[in-house]
Amino acid sequence: MVKHVGMPLTILASAALLAGCGHSSTSSAPQSNTGGGNPSSSMYQKECQAMLPIFSDPKTPSASKDPEKVINGMKNGAAWNLMTTEDQNDAVAGIRKAATGSCN
């Protein structure tokens, strides 16, 4: 059985971004939910709720507020392949939604 590992993945991806915050971001604009995620799923909500405070914190470096960088960091983590495709899509969509400033 696959465990839901979204929260730790998001935290790890965010920490990696914060560590490398000296790099400039070419695209910090939030993207729409194009990953086919289900806003009602627990994975979507977990990722969105985890990232919302990071994206909305004025102290967070702008490079760390790029949802695509967070997603790429998450995809490069070892646990990414342990998730189902549905959970992956929901996690991506949840992160992108958090970048809009709301999980609703």
Side-chain angles (χ1 to χ4, degrees), residues 31-101:
Q31 294 189 5
S32 64
N33 174 6
T34 58
N38 175 4
S40 298
S41 79
S42 62
M43 179 62 74
Y44 178 102
Q45 288 299 320
K46 183 189 297 185
E47 294 301 332
C48 189
Q49 294 296 327
M51 291 308 299
L52 193 59
I54 294 168
F55 288 150
S56 63
D57 186 347
K59 295 178 184 175
T60 302
S62 61
S64 298
K65 292 183 179 185
D66 184 340
E68 298 311 309
K69 285 188 176 187
V70 173
I71 292 165
N72 285 335
M74 192 169 160
K75 287 180 178 181
N76 289 325
W80 179 255
N81 291 326
L82 300 176
M83 297 168 62
T84 66
T85 301
E86 182 179 346
D87 280 347
Q88 290 172 350
N89 289 338
D90 290 345
V92 167
I95 292 167
R96 288 181 177 149
K97 181 63 177 173
T100 69

Side-chain angles (χ1 to χ4, degrees), residues 7-40:
M7 181 74 84
L9 288 177
T10 300
I11 302 292
L12 290 173
S14 297
L17 284 174
L18 287 171
C21 67
H23 302 287
S24 64
S25 170
T26 57
S27 171
S28 61
Q31 294 189 5
S32 64
N33 174 6
T34 58
N38 175 4
S40 298

